Amino acid sequence: MRMREAARKLQVSARMLRHYEAAGLLRAARLDNGYRSLSEADVQRAAWVRDLIAAGFSTREVRALAAALDAGAGPPICTAALRNKLEQIDRLVDALTNRRRRVAERLVRQQQAVAASSTSDHGKEGPGDGNPEHSGAPVSAPGRPR
DNA sequence: CTTCTCACA
DNA sequence: TGTGAGGA
């Protein structure tokens, strides 16, 4: 099959399949006209790649894992890689949790400082303030430049 | 329809 | 990591 059908089967853009191949994660035969021809095995391989990347593996990691697998390594290699990634994610979650806590603490102190200055002689509290305190509320970041 | 490259978020 | 433009 050609790119369009394979992409449809995989629920991925044909663009991504070319991307994967350019990254050395996939290998597809070519027709006489230069078009790619993907076998069912190619599609399954692509699905495997897609899932690993969705799970947070980098192209390097997938490439290395695929190479090891092609070199005759068994499923234990995949198991080890998965366990490894799991621990990596755990460490990441830890780091982010710490970040979140630090930001939350900073916010509390800042608001305490604001409250203290407003109760002293400078009572210039403009109408435009309003500072609702949410502890665990997800705070969006609207300040992205365009 | 497919291919590729360049640029960008 | 993933996409859009633009040309062949």
Side-chain angles (χ1 to χ4, degrees), chain A residues 51-64:
Chain A
D51 291 346
L52 284 182
I53 290 198
F57 285 80
S58 68
T59 53
R60 287 183 90 124
E61 290 169 331
V62 175
R63 199 183 311 121

Side-chain angles (χ1 to χ4, degrees), chain A residues 1-4 6 21 27-43:
Chain A
M1 73 193 74
R2 294 184 315 200
M3 290 296 268
R4 204 170 181 242
E21 190 181 34
R27 196 63 51 189
R30 298 302 184 109
L31 269 26
D32 288 5
N33 54 12
Y35 290 8
R36 289 174 180 81
S37 177
L38 291 80
S39 66
E40 293 298 332
D42 291 334
V43 173

Side-chain angles (χ1 to χ4, degrees), chain A residues 20-140:
Chain A
Y20 289 163
E21 190 181 34
L25 276 34
L26 244 48
R27 196 63 51 189
R30 298 302 184 109
L31 269 26
D32 288 5
N33 54 12
Y35 290 8
R36 289 174 180 81
S37 177
L38 291 80
S39 66
E40 293 298 332
D42 291 334
V43 173
Q44 289 194 342
R45 193 63 143 199
W48 180 74
V49 169
R50 161 178 54 79
D51 291 346
L52 284 182
I53 290 198
F57 285 80
S58 68
T59 53
R60 287 183 90 124
E61 290 169 331
V62 175
R63 199 183 311 121
L65 196 54
L69 233 46
D70 286 341
I77 272 63
C78 278
T79 303
L82 257 21
R83 288 216 170 103
N84 210 300
K85 178 60 66 178
L86 213 51
E87 291 178 10
Q88 189 179 336
I89 290 174
D90 285 341
R91 290 195 296 272
L92 205 52
V93 168
D94 265 21
L96 285 175
T97 299
N98 284 336
R99 272 203 209 176
R100 207 213 85 93
R101 182 175 44 74
R102 285 160 193 261
V103 171
E105 286 170 359
R106 181 164 289 249
L107 177 61
V108 167
R109 293 179 189 196
Q110 199 169 63
Q111 287 184 328
Q112 284 174 346
V114 169
S117 76
S118 70
T119 50
S120 68
D121 55 349
H122 289 70
K124 302 164 64 177
E125 196 65 18
D129 193 346
N131 217 335
E133 165 66 18
H134 312 312
S135 62
V139 178
S140 64

